[in-house]
Amino acid sequence: NVNGRNYISPVRNQGGCGSCVAFATVSAIEAHYRIETGQPANSIDLSESSLFFVADRQCNSGDPRYGWWINKALDQSMEEGICFEANYPYRAVNQVAQIPNGTIQTIKIKGYDSSSNVNQLKKWLVQDGPLVADFAVFDDFFAYFDRGTGVYSHVSGNYAGGHAVSVIGYDDNQKAWICRNSWGGTTTHPDGTFLIAY
């Protein structure tokens, strides 16, 4: 909510594919495009598949190309760009990207920066818009996202892996980041957003 206007895309679902980095990156870039053009209602819909599979990443755990790193996705967004969802619809299965080179329009970013400083991250959120971030997921996060409320903070359970999300805001009163997940909506998180402690 920026002066009563929403610049965030509708909730999306990566399905059973380790493509969270692509979803988090695309979500942030779509929001930045809307912010920079001053069009919160713009229906821009970029292709997570084009970002993920063009870079030869794959869905299945155990594959050496499984998952991804945020900096690599941002590099790809600068160098190759991201085409529109209509040109390459997302499917949550391993695939070889088949986009004829030079024939599809793409959106590219000019650059990016990185920090783990809380105050710097807040400044960027206010001045520029959503961020792309990752965190360690433990077993209790799944239960929290499915049916929990309030601010998530790890309490119990084993480490389940890394996960990338788009950070769309913060709440100093609750000492929490407001994040956008890519697992669709749930009863307690219908728009895919959740709070996670600083």
Short mmCIF file of all heavy atoms in Angstrom, two decimals, residues 110-179:
data_model
loop_
_atom_site.label_atom_id
_atom_site.label_comp_id
_atom_site.label_asym_id
_atom_site.label_seq_id
_atom_site.Cartn_x
_atom_site.Cartn_y
_atom_site.Cartn_z
N LYS A 110 18.70 -2.67 -15.26
CA LYS A 110 19.97 -1.99 -15.51
C LYS A 110 21.04 -2.40 -14.53
O LYS A 110 22.23 -2.28 -14.81
CB LYS A 110 19.76 -0.48 -15.45
CG LYS A 110 18.88 0.05 -16.56
CD LYS A 110 18.68 1.54 -16.43
CE LYS A 110 17.75 2.04 -17.53
NZ LYS A 110 17.45 3.47 -17.37
N GLY A 111 20.65 -2.85 -13.36
CA GLY A 111 21.63 -3.23 -12.35
C GLY A 111 20.94 -3.57 -11.05
O GLY A 111 19.71 -3.52 -10.95
N TYR A 112 21.73 -3.89 -10.04
CA TYR A 112 21.19 -4.20 -8.72
C TYR A 112 22.28 -4.00 -7.69
O TYR A 112 23.46 -3.87 -8.02
CB TYR A 112 20.62 -5.62 -8.66
CG TYR A 112 21.64 -6.72 -8.87
CD1 TYR A 112 22.30 -7.32 -7.79
CD2 TYR A 112 21.94 -7.19 -10.14
CE1 TYR A 112 23.22 -8.33 -7.98
CE2 TYR A 112 22.86 -8.21 -10.34
CZ TYR A 112 23.50 -8.77 -9.26
OH TYR A 112 24.42 -9.77 -9.45
N ASP A 113 21.89 -3.95 -6.44
CA ASP A 113 22.83 -3.81 -5.33
C ASP A 113 22.46 -4.84 -4.28
O ASP A 113 21.41 -5.48 -4.36
CB ASP A 113 22.77 -2.40 -4.76
CG ASP A 113 24.10 -1.97 -4.14
OD1 ASP A 113 24.89 -2.87 -3.76
OD2 ASP A 113 24.34 -0.76 -4.03
N SER A 114 23.32 -4.99 -3.28
CA SER A 114 23.09 -6.01 -2.27
C SER A 114 23.50 -5.50 -0.89
O SER A 114 24.46 -4.74 -0.78
CB SER A 114 23.90 -7.25 -2.62
OG SER A 114 23.75 -8.25 -1.64
N SER A 115 22.77 -5.92 0.12
CA SER A 115 23.10 -5.56 1.50
C SER A 115 22.37 -6.50 2.44
O SER A 115 21.34 -7.07 2.09
CB SER A 115 22.68 -4.11 1.80
OG SER A 115 22.97 -3.78 3.14
N SER A 116 22.89 -6.64 3.65
CA SER A 116 22.17 -7.35 4.71
C SER A 116 21.89 -6.39 5.87
O SER A 116 21.41 -6.81 6.91
CB SER A 116 22.97 -8.56 5.19
OG SER A 116 24.24 -8.14 5.67
N ASN A 117 22.18 -5.11 5.66
CA ASN A 117 21.94 -4.10 6.69
C ASN A 117 20.46 -3.74 6.72
O ASN A 117 19.90 -3.29 5.72
CB ASN A 117 22.79 -2.86 6.38
CG ASN A 117 22.58 -1.76 7.39
OD1 ASN A 117 21.60 -1.04 7.33
ND2 ASN A 117 23.51 -1.64 8.32
N VAL A 118 19.82 -3.93 7.86
CA VAL A 118 18.38 -3.72 7.99
C VAL A 118 17.97 -2.31 7.59
O VAL A 118 17.00 -2.11 6.85
CB VAL A 118 17.90 -4.05 9.42
CG1 VAL A 118 16.47 -3.61 9.64
CG2 VAL A 118 18.04 -5.53 9.70
N ASN A 119 18.70 -1.31 8.05
CA ASN A 119 18.34 0.08 7.72
C ASN A 119 18.48 0.38 6.24
O ASN A 119 17.66 1.11 5.66
CB ASN A 119 19.17 1.06 8.56
CG ASN A 119 18.78 1.02 10.02
OD1 ASN A 119 17.62 0.78 10.37
ND2 ASN A 119 19.75 1.22 10.90
N GLN A 120 19.51 -0.18 5.60
CA GLN A 120 19.68 0.03 4.16
C GLN A 120 18.55 -0.64 3.39
O GLN A 120 18.01 -0.07 2.44
CB GLN A 120 21.02 -0.54 3.69
CG GLN A 120 21.27 -0.36 2.20
CD GLN A 120 21.32 1.09 1.78
OE1 GLN A 120 22.16 1.84 2.24
NE2 GLN A 120 20.42 1.51 0.91
N LEU A 121 18.16 -1.83 3.80
CA LEU A 121 17.06 -2.53 3.13
C LEU A 121 15.76 -1.76 3.25
O LEU A 121 15.00 -1.63 2.28
CB LEU A 121 16.91 -3.95 3.70
CG LEU A 121 18.12 -4.87 3.49
CD1 LEU A 121 17.94 -6.17 4.26
CD2 LEU A 121 18.37 -5.13 2.02
N LYS A 122 15.49 -1.21 4.43
CA LYS A 122 14.29 -0.40 4.62
C LYS A 122 14.32 0.83 3.72
O LYS A 122 13.30 1.20 3.10
CB LYS A 122 14.16 0.04 6.08
CG LYS A 122 13.83 -1.07 7.05
CD LYS A 122 13.79 -0.49 8.45
CE LYS A 122 13.54 -1.54 9.50
NZ LYS A 122 13.54 -0.96 10.85
N LYS A 123 15.48 1.46 3.62
CA LYS A 123 15.64 2.65 2.78
C LYS A 123 15.33 2.32 1.32
O LYS A 123 14.61 3.04 0.64
CB LYS A 123 17.06 3.19 2.93
CG LYS A 123 17.34 4.46 2.16
CD LYS A 123 18.77 4.94 2.43
CE LYS A 123 19.09 6.18 1.61
NZ LYS A 123 20.48 6.63 1.82
N TRP A 124 15.88 1.20 0.84
CA TRP A 124 15.62 0.80 -0.54
C TRP A 124 14.14 0.50 -0.77
O TRP A 124 13.59 0.83 -1.81
CB TRP A 124 16.46 -0.42 -0.91
CG TRP A 124 17.90 -0.11 -1.19
CD1 TRP A 124 18.43 1.09 -1.58
CD2 TRP A 124 19.00 -1.02 -1.10
NE1 TRP A 124 19.79 0.98 -1.74
CE2 TRP A 124 20.17 -0.31 -1.46
CE3 TRP A 124 19.11 -2.36 -0.76
CZ2 TRP A 124 21.43 -0.89 -1.48
CZ3 TRP A 124 20.36 -2.94 -0.78
CH2 TRP A 124 21.51 -2.22 -1.14
N LEU A 125 13.50 -0.15 0.21
CA LEU A 125 12.07 -0.45 0.08
C LEU A 125 11.26 0.83 -0.09
O LEU A 125 10.38 0.91 -0.94
CB LEU A 125 11.57 -1.22 1.30
CG LEU A 125 11.80 -2.72 1.30
CD1 LEU A 125 11.59 -3.29 2.70
CD2 LEU A 125 10.88 -3.40 0.30
N VAL A 126 11.57 1.83 0.72
CA VAL A 126 10.82 3.08 0.68
C VAL A 126 11.14 3.88 -0.60
O VAL A 126 10.24 4.40 -1.26
CB VAL A 126 11.13 3.94 1.93
CG1 VAL A 126 10.54 5.33 1.80
CG2 VAL A 126 10.60 3.25 3.18
N GLN A 127 12.41 3.95 -0.96
CA GLN A 127 12.81 4.78 -2.09
C GLN A 127 12.59 4.12 -3.45
O GLN A 127 12.27 4.81 -4.42
CB GLN A 127 14.29 5.16 -1.97
CG GLN A 127 14.57 6.11 -0.82
CD GLN A 127 16.04 6.48 -0.73
OE1 GLN A 127 16.91 5.82 -1.32
NE2 GLN A 127 16.34 7.52 0.02
N ASP A 128 12.78 2.81 -3.52
CA ASP A 128 12.81 2.14 -4.82
C ASP A 128 11.73 1.09 -5.03
O ASP A 128 11.26 0.90 -6.14
CB ASP A 128 14.18 1.49 -5.04
CG ASP A 128 15.31 2.51 -4.98
OD1 ASP A 128 15.18 3.57 -5.60
OD2 ASP A 128 16.31 2.24 -4.29
N GLY A 129 11.37 0.35 -3.97
CA GLY A 129 10.36 -0.69 -4.13
C GLY A 129 10.85 -2.04 -3.64
O GLY A 129 11.88 -2.14 -2.96
N PRO A 130 10.13 -3.11 -3.98
CA PRO A 130 10.40 -4.46 -3.46
C PRO A 130 11.82 -4.96 -3.70
O PRO A 130 12.48 -4.59 -4.67
CB PRO A 130 9.38 -5.33 -4.19
CG PRO A 130 8.25 -4.40 -4.43
CD PRO A 130 8.90 -3.09 -4.78
N LEU A 131 12.23 -5.84 -2.80
CA LEU A 131 13.55 -6.47 -2.83
C LEU A 131 13.40 -7.96 -3.09
O LEU A 131 12.31 -8.51 -2.94
CB LEU A 131 14.24 -6.27 -1.47
CG LEU A 131 14.26 -4.87 -0.89
CD1 LEU A 131 14.84 -4.88 0.52
CD2 LEU A 131 15.04 -3.92 -1.78
N VAL A 132 14.50 -8.61 -3.42
CA VAL A 132 14.54 -10.06 -3.54
C VAL A 132 15.43 -10.57 -2.42
O VAL A 132 16.53 -10.07 -2.23
CB VAL A 132 15.11 -10.51 -4.90
CG1 VAL A 132 15.02 -12.03 -5.05
CG2 VAL A 132 14.39 -9.82 -6.05
N ALA A 133 14.93 -11.52 -1.64
CA ALA A 133 15.69 -12.01 -0.48
C ALA A 133 15.51 -13.50 -0.31
O ALA A 133 14.57 -14.09 -0.86
CB ALA A 133 15.23 -11.28 0.78
N ASP A 134 16.42 -14.10 0.45
CA ASP A 134 16.26 -15.52 0.76
C ASP A 134 16.38 -15.73 2.27
O ASP A 134 16.87 -14.86 2.99
CB ASP A 134 17.28 -16.38 0.00
CG ASP A 134 18.72 -16.03 0.34
OD1 ASP A 134 18.97 -15.09 1.10
OD2 ASP A 134 19.62 -16.73 -0.17
N PHE A 135 15.87 -16.85 2.72
CA PHE A 135 15.96 -17.20 4.13
C PHE A 135 15.97 -18.72 4.28
O PHE A 135 15.61 -19.45 3.36
CB PHE A 135 14.81 -16.56 4.94
CG PHE A 135 13.44 -17.09 4.64
CD1 PHE A 135 12.83 -18.02 5.47
CD2 PHE A 135 12.73 -16.64 3.53
CE1 PHE A 135 11.55 -18.49 5.21
CE2 PHE A 135 11.45 -17.10 3.26
CZ PHE A 135 10.86 -18.03 4.11
N ALA A 136 16.43 -19.16 5.45
CA ALA A 136 16.45 -20.59 5.77
C ALA A 136 15.06 -21.02 6.19
O ALA A 136 14.47 -20.43 7.09
CB ALA A 136 17.46 -20.87 6.88
N VAL A 137 14.54 -22.05 5.54
CA VAL A 137 13.22 -22.57 5.87
C VAL A 137 13.38 -23.79 6.79
O VAL A 137 14.16 -24.69 6.50
CB VAL A 137 12.45 -22.99 4.60
CG1 VAL A 137 11.13 -23.66 4.96
CG2 VAL A 137 12.20 -21.79 3.71
N PHE A 138 12.62 -23.75 7.89
CA PHE A 138 12.57 -24.88 8.81
C PHE A 138 11.16 -25.48 8.74
O PHE A 138 10.23 -24.86 8.22
CB PHE A 138 12.90 -24.42 10.23
CG PHE A 138 14.32 -23.99 10.39
CD1 PHE A 138 14.70 -22.69 10.10
CD2 PHE A 138 15.30 -24.89 10.80
CE1 PHE A 138 16.02 -22.28 10.23
CE2 PHE A 138 16.62 -24.50 10.92
CZ PHE A 138 16.99 -23.19 10.64
N ASP A 139 11.01 -26.69 9.27
CA ASP A 139 9.73 -27.40 9.17
C ASP A 139 8.56 -26.57 9.69
O ASP A 139 7.46 -26.64 9.14
CB ASP A 139 9.79 -28.73 9.94
CG ASP A 139 10.72 -29.73 9.28
OD1 ASP A 139 10.94 -29.63 8.06
OD2 ASP A 139 11.23 -30.62 10.00
N ASP A 140 8.78 -25.77 10.72
CA ASP A 140 7.65 -25.03 11.29
C ASP A 140 7.14 -23.91 10.37
O ASP A 140 6.03 -23.42 10.54
CB ASP A 140 7.98 -24.49 12.68
CG ASP A 140 9.17 -23.55 12.73
OD1 ASP A 140 9.86 -23.37 11.71
OD2 ASP A 140 9.43 -22.99 13.82
N PHE A 141 7.93 -23.51 9.38
CA PHE A 141 7.44 -22.47 8.46
C PHE A 141 6.29 -22.99 7.59
O PHE A 141 5.36 -22.24 7.28
CB PHE A 141 8.56 -21.94 7.56
CG PHE A 141 8.08 -20.88 6.60
CD1 PHE A 141 7.84 -19.58 7.05
CD2 PHE A 141 7.85 -21.17 5.26
CE1 PHE A 141 7.37 -18.60 6.18
CE2 PHE A 141 7.38 -20.19 4.39
CZ PHE A 141 7.14 -18.90 4.85
N PHE A 142 6.34 -24.25 7.20
CA PHE A 142 5.27 -24.82 6.37
C PHE A 142 3.93 -24.74 7.11
O PHE A 142 2.91 -24.34 6.53
CB PHE A 142 5.58 -26.26 5.98
CG PHE A 142 6.84 -26.40 5.16
CD1 PHE A 142 7.98 -26.94 5.71
CD2 PHE A 142 6.88 -25.97 3.84
CE1 PHE A 142 9.15 -27.06 4.96
CE2 PHE A 142 8.04 -26.09 3.07
CZ PHE A 142 9.18 -26.63 3.64
N ALA A 143 3.93 -25.12 8.38
CA ALA A 143 2.70 -25.06 9.19
C ALA A 143 2.25 -23.62 9.36
O ALA A 143 1.06 -23.31 9.26
CB ALA A 143 2.93 -25.71 10.55
N TYR A 144 3.21 -22.71 9.59
CA TYR A 144 2.87 -21.29 9.75
C TYR A 144 2.22 -20.75 8.46
O TYR A 144 1.18 -20.10 8.52
CB TYR A 144 4.11 -20.46 10.08
CG TYR A 144 3.92 -18.99 9.81
CD1 TYR A 144 3.25 -18.18 10.73
CD2 TYR A 144 4.38 -18.41 8.62
CE1 TYR A 144 3.05 -16.83 10.47
CE2 TYR A 144 4.18 -17.07 8.37
CZ TYR A 144 3.51 -16.28 9.29
OH TYR A 144 3.31 -14.95 9.02
N PHE A 145 2.82 -21.03 7.31
CA PHE A 145 2.29 -20.47 6.07
C PHE A 145 0.92 -21.07 5.73
O PHE A 145 0.05 -20.40 5.21
CB PHE A 145 3.26 -20.65 4.91
CG PHE A 145 2.85 -19.87 3.68
CD1 PHE A 145 2.96 -18.49 3.65
CD2 PHE A 145 2.32 -20.52 2.58
CE1 PHE A 145 2.56 -17.76 2.54
CE2 PHE A 145 1.91 -19.80 1.46
CZ PHE A 145 2.03 -18.42 1.44
N ASP A 146 0.75 -22.36 6.02
CA ASP A 146 -0.53 -23.02 5.73
C ASP A 146 -1.68 -22.50 6.59
O ASP A 146 -2.78 -22.30 6.11
CB ASP A 146 -0.42 -24.54 5.91
CG ASP A 146 0.29 -25.20 4.75
OD1 ASP A 146 0.42 -24.57 3.68
OD2 ASP A 146 0.73 -26.35 4.92
N ARG A 147 -1.41 -22.29 7.89
CA ARG A 147 -2.53 -21.95 8.77
C ARG A 147 -2.16 -21.03 9.94
O ARG A 147 -2.99 -20.74 10.79
CB ARG A 147 -3.19 -23.22 9.30
CG ARG A 147 -2.27 -24.15 10.03
CD ARG A 147 -2.88 -25.52 10.28
NE ARG A 147 -1.89 -26.41 10.85
CZ ARG A 147 -1.00 -27.09 10.16
NH1 ARG A 147 -0.96 -26.98 8.85
NH2 ARG A 147 -0.14 -27.88 10.76
N GLY A 148 -0.91 -20.58 9.98
CA GLY A 148 -0.48 -19.72 11.08
C GLY A 148 -0.82 -18.26 10.85
O GLY A 148 -1.15 -17.85 9.74
N THR A 149 -0.76 -17.48 11.92
CA THR A 149 -0.99 -16.04 11.83
C THR A 149 0.11 -15.31 12.59
O THR A 149 0.93 -15.93 13.26
CB THR A 149 -2.37 -15.67 12.44
OG1 THR A 149 -2.39 -16.09 13.81
CG2 THR A 149 -3.51 -16.32 11.68
N GLY A 150 0.11 -13.99 12.48
CA GLY A 150 1.10 -13.19 13.17
C GLY A 150 2.43 -13.18 12.46
O GLY A 150 2.51 -13.36 11.25
N VAL A 151 3.49 -12.99 13.22
CA VAL A 151 4.85 -12.88 12.68
C VAL A 151 5.55 -14.23 12.82
O VAL A 151 5.62 -14.79 13.92
CB VAL A 151 5.65 -11.79 13.41
CG1 VAL A 151 7.08 -11.73 12.90
CG2 VAL A 151 4.96 -10.44 13.26
N TYR A 152 6.10 -14.74 11.72
CA TYR A 152 6.84 -16.00 11.78
C TYR A 152 8.23 -15.77 12.35
O TYR A 152 8.94 -14.84 11.98
CB TYR A 152 6.98 -16.64 10.39
CG TYR A 152 7.94 -17.81 10.42
CD1 TYR A 152 7.56 -19.02 10.98
CD2 TYR A 152 9.24 -17.69 9.93
CE1 TYR A 152 8.44 -20.09 11.06
CE2 TYR A 152 10.13 -18.75 10.00
CZ TYR A 152 9.72 -19.95 10.56
OH TYR A 152 10.60 -21.00 10.64
N SER A 153 8.63 -16.68 13.23
CA SER A 153 10.00 -16.75 13.74
C SER A 153 10.24 -18.23 14.04
O SER A 153 9.40 -18.89 14.63
CB SER A 153 10.15 -15.92 15.01
OG SER A 153 11.50 -15.91 15.40
N HIS A 154 11.37 -18.75 13.60
CA HIS A 154 11.67 -20.17 13.78
C HIS A 154 11.66 -20.57 15.25
O HIS A 154 12.29 -19.94 16.08
CB HIS A 154 13.02 -20.50 13.16
CG HIS A 154 13.51 -21.87 13.49
ND1 HIS A 154 12.81 -23.02 13.20
CD2 HIS A 154 14.64 -22.29 14.11
CE1 HIS A 154 13.47 -24.07 13.60
NE2 HIS A 154 14.60 -23.65 14.16
N VAL A 155 10.90 -21.62 15.55
CA VAL A 155 10.80 -22.14 16.92
C VAL A 155 11.26 -23.59 16.98
O VAL A 155 12.02 -23.98 17.86
CB VAL A 155 9.34 -22.04 17.44
CG1 VAL A 155 9.22 -22.69 18.82
CG2 VAL A 155 8.90 -20.59 17.50
N SER A 156 10.81 -24.42 16.02
CA SER A 156 11.14 -25.85 16.10
C SER A 156 11.19 -26.45 14.71
O SER A 156 10.75 -25.85 13.73
CB SER A 156 10.08 -26.58 16.94
OG SER A 156 8.82 -26.49 16.28
N GLY A 157 11.70 -27.65 14.65
CA GLY A 157 11.73 -28.38 13.40
C GLY A 157 13.10 -28.33 12.73
O GLY A 157 13.95 -27.50 13.05
N ASN A 158 13.28 -29.23 11.79
CA ASN A 158 14.54 -29.35 11.07
C ASN A 158 14.65 -28.35 9.93
O ASN A 158 13.64 -27.85 9.43
CB ASN A 158 14.68 -30.77 10.51
CG ASN A 158 14.77 -31.80 11.61
OD1 ASN A 158 15.38 -31.56 12.65
ND2 ASN A 158 14.15 -32.96 11.39
N TYR A 159 15.88 -28.12 9.51
CA TYR A 159 16.15 -27.28 8.35
C TYR A 159 15.64 -27.99 7.10
O TYR A 159 15.92 -29.16 6.88
CB TYR A 159 17.65 -27.01 8.25
CG TYR A 159 18.08 -26.30 7.00
CD1 TYR A 159 17.79 -24.94 6.81
CD2 TYR A 159 18.77 -26.96 5.99
CE1 TYR A 159 18.19 -24.27 5.66
CE2 TYR A 159 19.17 -26.31 4.84
CZ TYR A 159 18.88 -24.97 4.68
OH TYR A 159 19.26 -24.31 3.53
N ALA A 160 14.87 -27.29 6.28
CA ALA A 160 14.29 -27.90 5.08
C ALA A 160 14.92 -27.38 3.79
O ALA A 160 14.72 -27.96 2.73
CB ALA A 160 12.78 -27.64 5.05
N GLY A 161 15.66 -26.29 3.84
CA GLY A 161 16.30 -25.74 2.66
C GLY A 161 16.17 -24.23 2.58
O GLY A 161 15.57 -23.59 3.45
N GLY A 162 16.73 -23.66 1.54
CA GLY A 162 16.64 -22.22 1.33
C GLY A 162 15.41 -21.87 0.50
O GLY A 162 14.89 -22.71 -0.23
N HIS A 163 14.96 -20.63 0.63
CA HIS A 163 13.79 -20.18 -0.11
C HIS A 163 13.92 -18.70 -0.42
O HIS A 163 14.41 -17.93 0.41
CB HIS A 163 12.52 -20.45 0.70
CG HIS A 163 11.25 -20.14 -0.02
ND1 HIS A 163 10.99 -20.58 -1.30
CD2 HIS A 163 10.16 -19.42 0.35
CE1 HIS A 163 9.79 -20.16 -1.67
NE2 HIS A 163 9.28 -19.44 -0.69
N ALA A 164 13.51 -18.30 -1.61
CA ALA A 164 13.56 -16.89 -2.02
C ALA A 164 12.15 -16.32 -2.09
O ALA A 164 11.21 -16.99 -2.50
CB ALA A 164 14.24 -16.76 -3.38
N VAL A 165 12.03 -15.06 -1.66
CA VAL A 165 10.75 -14.34 -1.67
C VAL A 165 11.01 -12.90 -2.08
O VAL A 165 12.15 -12.43 -2.08
CB VAL A 165 10.07 -14.37 -0.28
CG1 VAL A 165 9.64 -15.77 0.10
CG2 VAL A 165 10.97 -13.77 0.78
N SER A 166 9.95 -12.21 -2.40
CA SER A 166 10.02 -10.78 -2.64
C SER A 166 9.63 -10.07 -1.35
O SER A 166 8.60 -10.38 -0.76
CB SER A 166 9.07 -10.40 -3.78
OG SER A 166 9.09 -9.01 -4.00
N VAL A 167 10.48 -9.15 -0.90
CA VAL A 167 10.18 -8.36 0.30
C VAL A 167 9.48 -7.09 -0.17
O VAL A 167 10.05 -6.31 -0.93
CB VAL A 167 11.45 -8.02 1.09
CG1 VAL A 167 11.11 -7.24 2.36
CG2 VAL A 167 12.22 -9.29 1.44
N ILE A 168 8.24 -6.90 0.28
CA ILE A 168 7.44 -5.78 -0.24
C ILE A 168 7.22 -4.68 0.79
O ILE A 168 6.61 -3.65 0.47
CB ILE A 168 6.10 -6.28 -0.80
CG1 ILE A 168 5.26 -6.94 0.30
CG2 ILE A 168 6.33 -7.25 -1.95
CD1 ILE A 168 3.84 -7.29 -0.15
N GLY A 169 7.70 -4.86 2.01
CA GLY A 169 7.54 -3.82 3.01
C GLY A 169 8.07 -4.27 4.35
O GLY A 169 8.68 -5.33 4.47
N TYR A 170 7.83 -3.44 5.36
CA TYR A 170 8.25 -3.78 6.71
C TYR A 170 7.31 -3.14 7.72
O TYR A 170 6.57 -2.21 7.39
CB TYR A 170 9.70 -3.37 6.97
CG TYR A 170 9.96 -1.88 6.91
CD1 TYR A 170 9.89 -1.09 8.05
CD2 TYR A 170 10.31 -1.27 5.71
CE1 TYR A 170 10.14 0.28 8.01
CE2 TYR A 170 10.55 0.09 5.65
CZ TYR A 170 10.48 0.86 6.79
OH TYR A 170 10.72 2.21 6.75
N ASP A 171 7.34 -3.65 8.94
CA ASP A 171 6.50 -3.15 10.01
C ASP A 171 7.35 -3.06 11.28
O ASP A 171 7.64 -4.07 11.91
CB ASP A 171 5.32 -4.11 10.23
CG ASP A 171 4.34 -3.63 11.27
OD1 ASP A 171 4.75 -2.88 12.19
OD2 ASP A 171 3.16 -4.03 11.20
N ASP A 172 7.78 -1.84 11.62
CA ASP A 172 8.64 -1.67 12.79
C ASP A 172 7.92 -2.00 14.09
O ASP A 172 8.54 -2.42 15.06
CB ASP A 172 9.18 -0.24 12.85
CG ASP A 172 10.49 -0.09 12.07
OD1 ASP A 172 11.16 -1.10 11.83
OD2 ASP A 172 10.82 1.06 11.71
N ASN A 173 6.59 -1.80 14.12
CA ASN A 173 5.85 -2.12 15.34
C ASN A 173 5.93 -3.61 15.66
O ASN A 173 6.00 -4.00 16.82
CB ASN A 173 4.38 -1.70 15.21
CG ASN A 173 4.23 -0.19 15.17
OD1 ASN A 173 5.01 0.53 15.80
ND2 ASN A 173 3.25 0.29 14.44
N GLN A 174 5.90 -4.44 14.61
CA GLN A 174 5.97 -5.89 14.81
C GLN A 174 7.38 -6.43 14.57
O GLN A 174 7.61 -7.62 14.66
CB GLN A 174 4.97 -6.59 13.89
CG GLN A 174 3.53 -6.19 14.16
CD GLN A 174 2.57 -7.05 13.38
OE1 GLN A 174 2.34 -8.20 13.74
NE2 GLN A 174 2.00 -6.50 12.31
N LYS A 175 8.32 -5.51 14.22
CA LYS A 175 9.71 -5.89 13.94
C LYS A 175 9.77 -7.02 12.91
O LYS A 175 10.40 -8.06 13.13
CB LYS A 175 10.44 -6.27 15.22
CG LYS A 175 10.55 -5.12 16.22
CD LYS A 175 11.39 -5.49 17.39
CE LYS A 175 11.64 -4.36 18.38
NZ LYS A 175 11.02 -3.09 18.17
N ALA A 176 9.11 -6.76 11.77
CA ALA A 176 8.98 -7.82 10.76
C ALA A 176 9.04 -7.28 9.34
O ALA A 176 8.63 -6.15 9.07
CB ALA A 176 7.67 -8.56 10.97
N TRP A 177 9.54 -8.12 8.46
CA TRP A 177 9.47 -7.86 7.01
C TRP A 177 8.12 -8.36 6.51
O TRP A 177 7.61 -9.37 6.99
CB TRP A 177 10.58 -8.61 6.27
CG TRP A 177 11.96 -8.26 6.69
CD1 TRP A 177 12.84 -9.05 7.38
CD2 TRP A 177 12.64 -7.02 6.46
NE1 TRP A 177 14.01 -8.38 7.59
CE2 TRP A 177 13.93 -7.13 7.04
CE3 TRP A 177 12.29 -5.83 5.83
CZ2 TRP A 177 14.86 -6.10 6.99
CZ3 TRP A 177 13.22 -4.79 5.79
CH2 TRP A 177 14.48 -4.93 6.36
N ILE A 178 7.58 -7.66 5.53
CA ILE A 178 6.37 -8.12 4.84
C ILE A 178 6.85 -8.74 3.53
O ILE A 178 7.46 -8.07 2.70
CB ILE A 178 5.40 -6.96 4.56
CG1 ILE A 178 5.07 -6.23 5.86
CG2 ILE A 178 4.13 -7.47 3.87
CD1 ILE A 178 4.35 -4.90 5.65
N CYS A 179 6.60 -10.03 3.37
CA CYS A 179 7.13 -10.77 2.22
C CYS A 179 6.02 -11.34 1.36
O CYS A 179 4.92 -11.60 1.82
CB CYS A 179 8.03 -11.91 2.70
SG CYS A 179 9.47 -11.35 3.60
#
